[in-house]
């Protein structure tokens, strides 16, 4: 048995993320299957997995940055250690080292690691349970990062962190209800408060307290008792706390089946479930529904027997504390299932309303909302008419799923019929998010457009996962959103799948692409040395032009691309591009390339100042 840490430091945070991701990966379908409160949308496990995946990526970025500052030497562990999919053997397998007593591993500060974990969870939170989990991690970070110079904390620090986590999560839910993940979190904190000893003892006490509270949830919520299952969000939190035990002891707690009540649930061969996947009473929960982007509903508001708000609205919000307090009051008056988590100027807002526009306008008045997602439950949705009355939605024959870098392009792709995944600068989507989008498309055949060379392997993993679920997926390795636009322009759902894929692949391959962006630092490039603040023109991913003026640099790039010929120029403008650049480039094309057409789109906050495509 390798020695494992008995105190919480940055490496332990990293290990915890990895173990939690693996645990949720294994339990995801099981948790999805018991998601019956208040809407049987069947996506709690998936949403929790995606939230932890985002937290893990943020922690990995901190370790990578520390390694770069240290001269390129990788910090203990490695990026591959935390993918949550490989069978790991104790803490040594996760961190890549044996931690000796009294030795503090080299690496980031504890404060940096826990801040990254909490921030990653906040910006990547999916669904309501994921949002609450993000607030739990934020509460822990507030305690663990109080001393920015501390390299570690002990059992007492972990006890205080778990208490703050439970209290802050409960405060974030406007109308908390017992028998949910909030109850499980409070029980974990209570049990930890009475534990003596090191971090391992505290983590185990919290885990056992959470398990006992989870088993009691059917007696606290009638809908759980009728279905014969425990709360899905609470089940996910137990998995995360089990990962914390594994971090400090090197041993994962014995996996337990989902508790079900006799006479109310069918498990195993009779229900068509496999392993621990519980299929609950059809009279209460069938159909389980599709795995949607944010279909899971709040843990804090009882579901009405009849009626309910028609829309779910979620967005990230940049706003001051005072404005958020007013926002809570206004949204509480507009609808239900209200949860607002975050702080320090960044918040994640979730609410169910009949007037989605009013909910977004309230966010605009409070600050700057973005990543706005509005889901219409539909007339026959379980949320509006009761869980048992929603018909199974028929699959469409074919769909396109595309990653897009800005809100403007997301709207453009959506108008063309594509299901989109938004990739903000510095926040590439994870494979689980792409799989979720494929499920949301609800098609027998899916064409996947990653629109980024760096996302090719991520998209390939997502495609492979979707194929195991019976979806026929074709991955077209588009390296830019403008190549995706070209592919989407020739997409014809009515023709044979293979023929459609060939036509789309050909259109994408015939489109050369470029970007105009601002250099972040001094660097060697194929065009020479650039300084921070220089304007870079990249063609096919390589720097071809270095300039000081955005419009002039863009014109130089466009001339180089059109020198090889072309019939159509596509310009996608970022929010920070000069207002006159589109008109200037269009005029330049008309004057010098008579047979070439130009089309201009607004991309929004897409990272690059300008995207250029030449077909």
């Amino acid at each position: 048995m390798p020695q494992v840490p008995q105190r919480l430091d940055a490496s332990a945070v990293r290990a915890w993320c990895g173990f939690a991701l693996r645990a949720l990966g294994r339990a995801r379908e099981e948790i999805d299957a018991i998601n019956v409160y208040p809407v049987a949308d069947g996506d709690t496990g998936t949403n929790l997995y995606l939230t932890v995946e985002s937290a893990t990526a943020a922690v990995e970025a901190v370790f990578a940055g520390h390694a770069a500052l240290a001269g390129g030497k990788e910090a203990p562990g490695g990026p591959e250690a935390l993918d949550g999919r490989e069978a790991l053997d104790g803490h040594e397998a996760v961190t890549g080292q044996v931690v000796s007593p009294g030795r503090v591993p080299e690496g980031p500060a504890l404060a940096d690691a826990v801040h990254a974990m909490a921030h990653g969870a906040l910006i990547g939170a999916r669904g309501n349970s994921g949002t609450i989990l993000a607030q739990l991690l934020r509460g822990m970070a507030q305690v663990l990062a109080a001393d920015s110079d501390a390299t570690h904390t002990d059992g007492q620090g972990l006890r205080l962190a778990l208490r703050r986590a439970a209290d802050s999560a409960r405060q974030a839910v406007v109308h908390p209800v017992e028998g949910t993940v909030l109850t499980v979190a409070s029980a974990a904190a209570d049990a930890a408060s009475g534990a003596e000893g090191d971090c391992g003892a505290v983590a185990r006490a919290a885990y056992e307290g959470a398990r006992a509270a989870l088993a009691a949830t059917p007696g606290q919520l009638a809908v759980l008792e009728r279905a014969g299952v425990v709360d899905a969000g609470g089940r996910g939190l137990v998995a995360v706390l089990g990962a914390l035990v594994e971090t400090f002891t090197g041993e994962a707690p014995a996996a337990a089946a989902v508790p079900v009540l006799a006479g109310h649930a069918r498990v195993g061969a009779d229900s068509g479930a496999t392993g621990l996947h519980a299929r609950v009473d059809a009279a209460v929960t069938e159909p389980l529904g599709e795995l949607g982007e944010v279909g899971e509903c709040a843990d804090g508001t009882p579901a009405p027997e009849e009626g309910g708000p028609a829309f779910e609205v979620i967005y990230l919000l940049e706003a001051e504390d005072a404005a958020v307090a007013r926002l809570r009051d206004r949204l509480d008056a507009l609808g239900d299932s209200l949860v607002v988590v975050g702080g320090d100027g960044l918040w994640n807002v979730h609410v169910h309303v009949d007037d989605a526009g009013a909910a977004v306008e309230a966010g605009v008045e409070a600050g700057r909302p973005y990543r706005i997602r509005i889901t219409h439950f539909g007339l026959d949705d379980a949320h509006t008419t009761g869980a048992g009355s929603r018909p199974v939605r028929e699959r469409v024959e074919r769909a396109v799923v595309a990653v897009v870098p800005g809100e403007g392009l997301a709207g453009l792709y959506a108008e063309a019929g594509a299901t989109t995944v938004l990739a903000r600068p510095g926040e590439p989507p994870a494979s689980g998010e792409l799989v979720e989008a494929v499920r949301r498309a609800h098609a027998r055949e899916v064409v996947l457009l990653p629109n980024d060379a760096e996302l090719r392997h991520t998209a390939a993993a997502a495609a492979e996962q979707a194929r195991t679920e019976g979806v026929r997926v074709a991955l077209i390795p588009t390296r830019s959103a403008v190549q995706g636009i070209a592919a989407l322009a020739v997409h014809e759902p009515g023709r044979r799948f293979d023929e459609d894929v060939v036509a789309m692949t050909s259109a994408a391959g015939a489109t050369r692409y470029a970007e105009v962006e601002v250099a972040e630092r001094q660097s060697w490039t194929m065009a020479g040395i650039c300084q921070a603040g220089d304007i870079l023109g990249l063609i096919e991913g390589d720097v071809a032009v270095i300039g000081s003026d955005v419009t002039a640099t863009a014109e130089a790039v466009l001339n180089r691309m059109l020198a090889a010929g072309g019939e159509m120029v596509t310009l996608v403008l970022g929010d920070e591009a000069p207002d006159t650049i589109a008109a200037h480039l269009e005029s330049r094309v008309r004057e010098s390339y008579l047979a070439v057409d130009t089309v201009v789109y607004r991309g929004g906050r897409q990272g690059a100042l300008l995207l250029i495509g030449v077909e």
Side-chain angles (χ1 to χ4, degrees):
M1 174 65 66
Q3 296 184 15
V4 293
Q6 292 305 305
R7 57 190 187 182
L8 182 59
D9 59 11
S11 291
V13 171
R14 192 186 199 192
W16 182 26
C17 287
F19 284 129
L21 194 63
R22 184 187 67 171
L24 288 171
R26 290 176 173 176
R28 179 184 62 79
E29 293 182 6
E30 168 197 319
I31 297 170
D32 284 344
I34 63 170
N35 173 203
V36 300
Y37 173 76
V39 179
D41 275 354
D43 59 0
T44 295
T46 298
N47 288 334
L48 288 170
Y49 179 88
L50 294 174
T51 301
V52 173
E53 188 175 46
S54 180
T56 301
V59 172
E60 280 303 302
V62 167
F63 272 82
H66 182 274
L69 291 175
K73 181 181 179 181
E74 174 63 89
E80 71 282 355
L82 290 180
D83 64 3
R85 290 177 285 274
E86 297 181 0
L88 306 177
D89 180 20
H91 184 267
E92 180 183 32
V94 175
T95 63
Q97 63 171 342
V98 176
V99 181
S100 303
R103 173 177 172 267
V104 179
E106 296 179 0
L110 173 61
D112 292 337
V114 295
H115 273 313
M117 177 177 65
H119 180 73
L122 178 66
I123 64 175
R126 315 293 292 185
N128 199 264
S129 287
T131 304
I132 292 175
L133 177 61
Q135 186 69 4
L136 288 167
L137 297 179
R138 174 177 170 78
M140 294 188 70
Q142 288 173 335
V143 172
L144 298 175
D147 182 356
S148 60
D149 295 327
T151 59
H152 65 275
T153 192
D154 56 11
Q156 173 64 11
L158 182 56
R159 283 193 291 271
L160 294 174
L162 290 169
R163 179 79 272 161
R164 176 70 67 83
D167 292 345
S168 63
R170 187 170 288 272
Q171 292 167 5
V173 178
V174 176
H175 299 291
V177 167
E178 298 307 324
T180 66
V181 63
L182 299 176
T183 304
V184 176
S186 294
D190 292 343
S193 297
E196 299 292 337
D198 57 24
C199 288
V202 173
R204 186 169 291 280
Y207 171 75
E208 295 297 341
R211 281 191 63 189
L214 178 67
T217 55
Q220 297 171 296
L221 274 179
V223 65
L224 299 179
E225 186 176 17
R226 289 197 303 269
V229 297
V230 297
D231 178 67
R235 172 65 181 89
L237 180 58
V238 168
V240 172
L241 291 173
L244 187 63
V245 173
E246 187 173 6
T247 299
F248 292 116
T249 67
E251 296 180 348
V258 174
V260 294
L261 306 180
H264 290 277
R266 305 187 301 276
V267 181
D270 292 341
S271 64
T274 59
L276 298 178
H277 303 165
R279 181 80 172 206
V280 296
D281 193 352
V284 177
T285 65
E286 294 229 332
L288 287 177
E290 296 305 312
L291 297 183
E293 182 174 3
V294 286
E296 177 208 353
C297 299
D299 294 280
T301 304
E305 293 298 326
E306 297 289 342
F311 296 95
E312 180 180 53
V313 179
I314 296 180
Y315 49 79
L316 290 178
L317 176 70
E318 294 176 357
E320 300 297 326
D321 291 5
V324 171
R326 294 190 296 270
L327 175 67
R328 288 177 189 267
D329 292 339
R330 181 169 178 186
L331 292 180
D332 190 28
L334 286 174
D336 60 30
S337 298
L338 174 59
V339 184
V340 181
V341 305
D344 300 323
L346 181 62
W347 309 81
N348 193 310
V349 179
H350 171 285
V351 67
H352 292 173
V353 293
D354 281 319
D355 190 344
V360 174
E361 288 173 4
V364 172
E365 291 179 6
R368 190 183 74 83
Y370 60 99
R371 277 196 180 182
I372 300 169
R373 298 192 296 273
I374 300 174
T375 302
H376 183 240
F377 290 116
L379 294 177
D380 295 320
D381 191 86
H383 183 78
T384 57
T385 60
S389 62
R390 181 174 61 187
V392 176
R393 182 162 61 98
E394 183 67 24
R395 285 184 179 271
V396 298
E397 186 62 29
R398 189 174 309 159
V400 176
V401 173
V403 179
V404 291
E407 296 92 339
L409 281 181
L412 174 67
Y413 272 74
E415 287 177 7
T419 299
T420 62
V421 178
L422 190 62
R424 291 194 162 273
E427 301 174 18
S431 60
E433 195 169 354
L434 299 185
V435 173
E436 184 189 18
V438 171
R439 295 187 182 117
R440 194 168 71 252
H442 200 50
R444 297 182 179 87
E445 301 169 341
V446 170
V447 179
L448 184 56
L449 305 176
N451 290 341
D452 187 337
E454 299 297 324
L455 287 178
R456 181 169 183 175
H457 295 300
T458 299
E464 188 62 31
Q465 173 62 36
R467 292 184 187 113
T468 66
E469 299 178 8
V471 181
R472 188 181 184 187
V473 181
L475 171 61
I476 299 178
T478 49
R479 293 172 290 174
S480 171
V482 291
Q483 289 189 320
I485 291 173
L488 200 56
V490 300
H491 168 54
E492 291 185 14
R495 63 185 164 198
R496 292 179 51 215
F497 184 64
D498 292 341
E499 293 177 354
D500 198 29
V501 171
V502 168
M504 295 176 71
T505 302
S506 178
T511 301
R512 299 187 299 281
Y513 66 94
E515 297 181 9
V516 177
E517 59 186 40
V518 180
E520 295 182 356
R521 63 183 66 88
Q522 184 186 59
S523 180
W524 288 88
T525 75
M526 293 185 65
I529 300 176
C530 71
Q531 304 296 327
D534 283 348
I535 307 301
L536 306 180
L538 294 85
I539 300 178
E540 306 283 329
D542 293 323
V543 176
V545 179
I546 300 174
S548 58
D549 179 77
V550 176
T551 302
T553 303
E555 182 178 339
V557 168
L558 188 55
N559 285 336
R560 291 197 183 195
M561 298 178 74
L562 288 173
E567 298 176 356
M568 171 73 74
V569 170
T570 301
L571 304 175
V572 183
L573 306 179
D575 279 348
E576 298 181 1
D579 294 336
T580 59
I581 190 171
H584 178 87
L585 295 178
E586 284 184 287
S587 175
R588 170 64 180 162
V589 171
R590 282 197 304 270
E591 294 172 359
S592 302
Y593 307 95
L594 300 180
V596 179
D597 295 324
T598 304
V599 60
V600 179
Y601 301 112
R602 294 283 176 179
R605 299 180 64 201
Q606 61 185 24
L609 298 172
L610 176 67
L611 302 178
I612 302 175
V614 174
E615 300 176 45

